[in-house]
Amino acid sequence: MHTVKEAALITGLTEHAIRFYTDKGLVPSLQRNQNNIRMFDEESINWLHGVKCLKQSGMPIEIIKTYVDLCLEGDSTIPQRCTLMMEHKEAALIKLEEAKQHVAHLEQKTALYQAILEHRSPDTTNPGNWDKIQHMHSDVFYSPSVRKA
């Protein structure tokens, strides 16, 4: 049997994360000693490794809880667990596309800043100066009636 501290060393999780995961019911085999202290056997350590793996994939705690519950029901839930993973993968792919758009936008912004630093472009990045340069980028500025709101 392992204490929280030992479980943290074994799994690479923080003690805080382990307590959080156990409080959320993600370690169903968790045991407590006579002083109500969390104790982890090998199965509990395996659950912690599994939770860590799912969390590293970006899976939210609520979905991990669903996954744990399905695992506890047995092999008959393999199709549901597979669906859960496919749905999580699709959500991750959507986030990846969003991240690619963010990077593309930031590449444009850093190129603009480089141009400003090299005095090839005026500073159009400071909203406090936009009233002076609105004529340069009228397509991206709000109309006067919207700006006053």
Side-chain angles (χ1 to χ4, degrees):
M1 296 298 279
H2 304 283
T3 63
V4 170
K5 186 173 195 158
E6 292 167 340
L9 290 171
I10 293 167
T11 62
L13 292 166
T14 65
E15 292 176 39
H16 175 78
I18 289 173
R19 287 185 185 96
F20 179 78
Y21 295 156
T22 59
D23 289 348
K24 292 293 183 180
L26 305 180
V27 185
S29 59
L30 174 72
Q31 299 174 36
R32 292 188 181 262
N33 69 12
Q34 65 276 10
N35 297 321
N36 204 31
I37 294 173
R38 295 172 180 89
M39 299 301 293
F40 300 84
D41 60 9
E42 293 310 309
E43 183 180 341
S44 298
I45 297 294
N46 289 342
W47 280 108
L48 287 170
H49 280 300
V51 170
K52 179 181 177 182
C53 178
L54 294 173
K55 193 68 182 138
Q56 286 176 331
S57 78
M59 187 176 283
I61 294 295
E62 300 77 28
I63 307 282
I64 295 173
K65 176 64 171 139
T66 300
Y67 181 84
V68 167
D69 292 343
L70 288 170
C71 286
L72 292 173
E73 290 180 38
D75 289 349
S76 65
T77 65
I78 290 173
Q80 292 103 312
R81 287 184 269 155
C82 180
T83 298
L84 192 136
M85 289 299 163
M86 289 188 304
E87 290 170 351
H88 180 57
K89 176 185 164 189
E90 288 303 314
L93 288 170
I94 290 168
K95 288 180 184 176
L96 176 61
E97 287 306 312
E98 291 171 353
K100 287 178 182 178
Q101 292 173 359
H102 294 168
V103 169
H105 180 76
L106 290 168
E107 286 174 347
Q108 292 174 342
K109 288 295 182 189
T110 54
L112 173 60
Y113 270 102
Q114 194 60 45
I116 294 166
L117 289 169
E118 295 171 0
H119 305 288
R120 294 182 286 114
S121 176
D123 181 6
T124 58
T125 63
N126 184 342
N129 297 331
W130 285 354
D131 60 332
K132 299 173 195 160
I133 60 169
Q134 184 174 358
H135 65 282
M136 295 175 60
H137 302 284
S138 60
D139 59 322
V140 296
F141 287 95
Y142 296 112
S143 66
S145 61
V146 174
R147 283 193 354 203
K148 291 179 183 176

